Amino acid sequence: YYGISKACCEIMGRSFSERCDTKFYVIRIGSIRCKEEDHPYAYAESGVKKGLWKRGSKQYILQEKRLKSLWMSRRDFLKMVELCIEYEAVKFEILVGLSDNPRSWFDMENTKKLLRYKPKDNAERFIQVPTK
């Protein structure tokens, strides 16, 4: 149902932009976390807090890799929204929303080119592992 609802909303957005002469941009976000978890270790650290695994365990490393692929910092997200508001070249577009993550399997070239989006944050360069 999740995927179907997303596809339906994207189709409705396209139709809305064409019929109402307005712009509609879909941002397919990897993962944005709350302010306290705005880092690429959030999934891994969540499991530590819940007692599901320890830092450095196989599961911790798996969760770290996952978020290092999908992470979008709050700063990068706000910049992307700002760029969408300012962008006027097309009325409808589907964009990928991530920080500059080398491990990502999503293609960001269209998003970077259209919006001139230059993410500031990079999951691989995030050095401090939270210890709370």
Side-chain angles (χ1 to χ4, degrees), residues 2 8-10 18-20 27 30 33 39 51 56 63 76 79 81-82 95 99 101 104-105 114-115 120 124 127 131:
Y2 176 72
C8 287
C9 288
E10 290 174 4
E18 291 170 354
R19 293 177 185 201
C20 298
I27 302 175
R33 309 298 297 184
H39 56 79
Q63 295 300 321
D76 285 342
K79 183 60 180 179
V81 169
E82 180 183 303
L95 306 162
S99 288
N101 304 326
S104 177
W105 54 84
L114 287 176
L115 298 179
K120 299 267 187 221
E124 298 300 325
I127 296 180
T131 56

Short mmCIF file of all heavy atoms in Angstrom, two decimals, residues 2 8-10 18-20 27 30 33 39 51 56 63 76 79 81-82 95 99 101 104-105 114-115 120 124 127 131:
data_model
loop_
_atom_site.label_atom_id
_atom_site.label_comp_id
_atom_site.label_asym_id
_atom_site.label_seq_id
_atom_site.Cartn_x
_atom_site.Cartn_y
_atom_site.Cartn_z
N TYR A 2 2.00 1.18 0.65
CA TYR A 2 2.88 2.33 0.74
C TYR A 2 3.32 2.80 -0.65
O TYR A 2 3.21 3.97 -1.00
CB TYR A 2 4.09 1.98 1.61
CG TYR A 2 5.14 3.05 1.71
CD1 TYR A 2 4.91 4.20 2.45
CD2 TYR A 2 6.37 2.91 1.08
CE1 TYR A 2 5.87 5.19 2.55
CE2 TYR A 2 7.34 3.89 1.17
CZ TYR A 2 7.09 5.02 1.91
OH TYR A 2 8.06 5.99 2.00
N CYS A 8 0.30 6.96 -6.64
CA CYS A 8 -0.96 7.68 -6.89
C CYS A 8 -0.80 9.18 -6.61
O CYS A 8 -1.29 10.01 -7.38
CB CYS A 8 -2.08 7.11 -6.03
SG CYS A 8 -2.64 5.49 -6.60
N CYS A 9 -0.14 9.51 -5.51
CA CYS A 9 0.05 10.93 -5.19
C CYS A 9 0.94 11.62 -6.22
O CYS A 9 0.71 12.79 -6.55
CB CYS A 9 0.63 11.08 -3.79
SG CYS A 9 -0.56 10.70 -2.49
N GLU A 10 1.94 10.93 -6.73
CA GLU A 10 2.79 11.51 -7.77
C GLU A 10 1.99 11.76 -9.04
O GLU A 10 2.14 12.80 -9.69
CB GLU A 10 3.99 10.61 -8.04
CG GLU A 10 4.98 10.61 -6.89
CD GLU A 10 6.11 9.61 -7.05
OE1 GLU A 10 6.20 8.94 -8.11
OE2 GLU A 10 6.93 9.50 -6.12
N GLU A 18 -0.38 20.23 -14.26
CA GLU A 18 -0.77 20.48 -15.65
C GLU A 18 -2.10 21.23 -15.75
O GLU A 18 -2.26 22.10 -16.60
CB GLU A 18 -0.87 19.15 -16.41
CG GLU A 18 0.49 18.50 -16.61
CD GLU A 18 0.39 17.09 -17.15
OE1 GLU A 18 -0.73 16.55 -17.27
OE2 GLU A 18 1.47 16.51 -17.45
N ARG A 19 -3.04 20.91 -14.91
CA ARG A 19 -4.38 21.50 -15.00
C ARG A 19 -4.51 22.85 -14.29
O ARG A 19 -5.35 23.66 -14.67
CB ARG A 19 -5.42 20.54 -14.43
CG ARG A 19 -5.55 19.31 -15.27
CD ARG A 19 -6.51 18.34 -14.66
NE ARG A 19 -6.48 17.12 -15.46
CZ ARG A 19 -7.43 16.25 -15.47
NH1 ARG A 19 -8.49 16.41 -14.72
NH2 ARG A 19 -7.34 15.19 -16.22
N CYS A 20 -3.71 23.05 -13.28
CA CYS A 20 -3.87 24.26 -12.46
C CYS A 20 -2.75 25.26 -12.68
O CYS A 20 -2.63 26.24 -11.95
CB CYS A 20 -3.95 23.90 -11.00
SG CYS A 20 -5.37 22.85 -10.61
N ILE A 27 9.84 15.00 -3.82
CA ILE A 27 11.19 14.71 -3.34
C ILE A 27 11.15 13.33 -2.71
O ILE A 27 10.51 13.13 -1.69
CB ILE A 27 11.69 15.76 -2.32
CG1 ILE A 27 11.66 17.16 -2.92
CG2 ILE A 27 13.11 15.39 -1.86
CD1 ILE A 27 12.01 18.25 -1.92
N GLY A 30 15.50 9.74 1.11
CA GLY A 30 16.04 8.50 1.66
C GLY A 30 15.66 8.37 3.13
O GLY A 30 14.77 7.61 3.48
N ARG A 33 16.19 12.26 9.78
CA ARG A 33 15.97 11.92 11.18
C ARG A 33 15.65 13.18 11.98
O ARG A 33 15.88 14.30 11.53
CB ARG A 33 17.24 11.28 11.75
CG ARG A 33 17.79 10.12 10.92
CD ARG A 33 16.86 8.97 10.79
NE ARG A 33 16.62 8.39 12.11
CZ ARG A 33 15.91 7.32 12.33
NH1 ARG A 33 15.35 6.68 11.32
NH2 ARG A 33 15.75 6.85 13.54
N HIS A 39 22.28 12.18 11.98
CA HIS A 39 23.60 11.65 11.68
C HIS A 39 23.45 10.26 11.04
O HIS A 39 22.41 9.62 11.19
CB HIS A 39 24.47 11.59 12.93
CG HIS A 39 23.86 10.81 14.05
ND1 HIS A 39 23.86 9.44 14.09
CD2 HIS A 39 23.19 11.22 15.16
CE1 HIS A 39 23.25 9.02 15.18
NE2 HIS A 39 22.82 10.10 15.85
N GLY A 51 19.03 -2.07 23.24
CA GLY A 51 19.66 -3.31 23.70
C GLY A 51 19.60 -4.43 22.68
O GLY A 51 19.76 -5.61 23.03
N GLY A 56 29.67 -1.97 16.85
CA GLY A 56 30.66 -2.82 16.19
C GLY A 56 30.16 -4.21 15.82
O GLY A 56 30.85 -4.92 15.11
N GLN A 63 23.30 -1.74 9.84
CA GLN A 63 22.45 -0.56 9.96
C GLN A 63 23.22 0.72 9.64
O GLN A 63 22.68 1.65 9.03
CB GLN A 63 21.85 -0.47 11.37
CG GLN A 63 20.89 -1.60 11.69
CD GLN A 63 19.72 -1.64 10.73
OE1 GLN A 63 19.17 -0.64 10.33
NE2 GLN A 63 19.31 -2.85 10.36
N ASP A 76 20.70 19.75 4.44
CA ASP A 76 20.57 19.51 3.00
C ASP A 76 19.11 19.49 2.56
O ASP A 76 18.77 19.99 1.48
CB ASP A 76 21.26 18.20 2.60
CG ASP A 76 22.78 18.31 2.58
OD1 ASP A 76 23.31 19.45 2.55
OD2 ASP A 76 23.44 17.26 2.61
N LYS A 79 17.80 23.03 2.29
CA LYS A 79 18.36 23.66 1.09
C LYS A 79 17.63 23.18 -0.15
O LYS A 79 17.31 23.97 -1.04
CB LYS A 79 19.86 23.37 0.98
CG LYS A 79 20.52 24.05 -0.19
CD LYS A 79 20.38 25.58 -0.08
CE LYS A 79 21.03 26.28 -1.24
NZ LYS A 79 20.87 27.73 -1.16
N VAL A 81 14.52 22.07 -0.39
CA VAL A 81 13.19 22.68 -0.41
C VAL A 81 13.29 24.14 -0.88
O VAL A 81 12.50 24.58 -1.71
CB VAL A 81 12.51 22.58 0.98
CG1 VAL A 81 11.26 23.43 1.03
CG2 VAL A 81 12.19 21.13 1.31
N GLU A 82 14.28 24.85 -0.39
CA GLU A 82 14.49 26.24 -0.82
C GLU A 82 14.73 26.31 -2.33
O GLU A 82 14.16 27.16 -3.02
CB GLU A 82 15.70 26.80 -0.06
CG GLU A 82 16.06 28.23 -0.40
CD GLU A 82 17.31 28.66 0.35
OE1 GLU A 82 17.31 28.59 1.60
OE2 GLU A 82 18.29 29.06 -0.32
N LEU A 95 12.27 14.22 -7.84
CA LEU A 95 13.66 14.43 -7.45
C LEU A 95 14.06 13.44 -6.37
O LEU A 95 13.23 12.97 -5.60
CB LEU A 95 13.82 15.86 -6.91
CG LEU A 95 13.33 16.97 -7.84
CD1 LEU A 95 13.12 18.26 -7.07
CD2 LEU A 95 14.31 17.17 -8.98
N SER A 99 21.78 13.38 1.04
CA SER A 99 23.02 14.13 1.18
C SER A 99 24.03 13.52 0.21
O SER A 99 23.70 12.61 -0.55
CB SER A 99 23.52 14.08 2.62
OG SER A 99 22.70 14.88 3.46
N ASN A 101 26.21 11.13 -0.41
CA ASN A 101 26.62 9.84 0.13
C ASN A 101 27.19 8.94 -0.96
O ASN A 101 26.44 8.46 -1.80
CB ASN A 101 25.43 9.13 0.79
CG ASN A 101 24.77 9.98 1.85
OD1 ASN A 101 25.43 10.73 2.55
ND2 ASN A 101 23.47 9.86 1.99
N SER A 104 25.45 5.60 -1.81
CA SER A 104 24.05 5.58 -2.26
C SER A 104 23.90 4.86 -3.59
O SER A 104 24.75 4.94 -4.47
CB SER A 104 23.53 7.00 -2.41
OG SER A 104 22.21 6.97 -2.90
N TRP A 105 22.81 4.16 -3.72
CA TRP A 105 22.50 3.47 -4.98
C TRP A 105 21.51 4.27 -5.81
O TRP A 105 21.11 3.83 -6.87
CB TRP A 105 21.99 2.05 -4.71
CG TRP A 105 20.82 1.99 -3.77
CD1 TRP A 105 19.50 2.15 -4.10
CD2 TRP A 105 20.84 1.75 -2.37
NE1 TRP A 105 18.71 2.03 -2.99
CE2 TRP A 105 19.51 1.78 -1.90
CE3 TRP A 105 21.86 1.52 -1.44
CZ2 TRP A 105 19.17 1.59 -0.57
CZ3 TRP A 105 21.52 1.32 -0.12
CH2 TRP A 105 20.19 1.36 0.31
N LEU A 114 19.22 19.92 -12.32
CA LEU A 114 18.04 20.79 -12.42
C LEU A 114 18.04 21.90 -11.38
O LEU A 114 17.81 23.06 -11.71
CB LEU A 114 16.76 19.98 -12.28
CG LEU A 114 16.35 19.10 -13.43
CD1 LEU A 114 15.11 18.31 -13.08
CD2 LEU A 114 16.11 19.92 -14.69
N LEU A 115 18.29 21.53 -10.14
CA LEU A 115 18.20 22.51 -9.05
C LEU A 115 19.52 23.19 -8.74
O LEU A 115 19.56 24.11 -7.93
CB LEU A 115 17.70 21.82 -7.77
CG LEU A 115 16.33 21.19 -7.80
CD1 LEU A 115 16.03 20.55 -6.44
CD2 LEU A 115 15.26 22.21 -8.14
N LYS A 120 25.76 19.67 1.26
CA LYS A 120 26.90 20.05 2.10
C LYS A 120 27.39 18.86 2.93
O LYS A 120 28.55 18.80 3.29
CB LYS A 120 26.50 21.16 3.07
CG LYS A 120 26.05 22.42 2.39
CD LYS A 120 27.20 23.35 2.21
CE LYS A 120 26.71 24.68 1.69
NZ LYS A 120 27.55 25.23 0.69
N GLU A 124 30.00 9.71 4.80
CA GLU A 124 31.34 9.16 5.01
C GLU A 124 32.25 10.14 5.74
O GLU A 124 33.22 9.72 6.36
CB GLU A 124 31.98 8.78 3.66
CG GLU A 124 31.22 7.71 2.91
CD GLU A 124 31.10 6.40 3.68
OE1 GLU A 124 32.03 6.01 4.41
OE2 GLU A 124 30.05 5.75 3.54
N ILE A 127 32.22 12.24 11.25
CA ILE A 127 33.25 11.57 12.02
C ILE A 127 32.79 11.13 13.41
O ILE A 127 33.02 10.01 13.83
CB ILE A 127 34.51 12.46 12.14
CG1 ILE A 127 35.07 12.65 10.75
CG2 ILE A 127 35.53 11.86 13.09
CD1 ILE A 127 36.28 13.47 10.63
N THR A 131 27.55 8.93 21.39
CA THR A 131 27.78 7.96 22.45
C THR A 131 26.72 8.02 23.54
O THR A 131 26.89 7.44 24.59
CB THR A 131 29.16 8.18 23.09
OG1 THR A 131 29.25 9.53 23.55
CG2 THR A 131 30.25 7.88 22.10
#
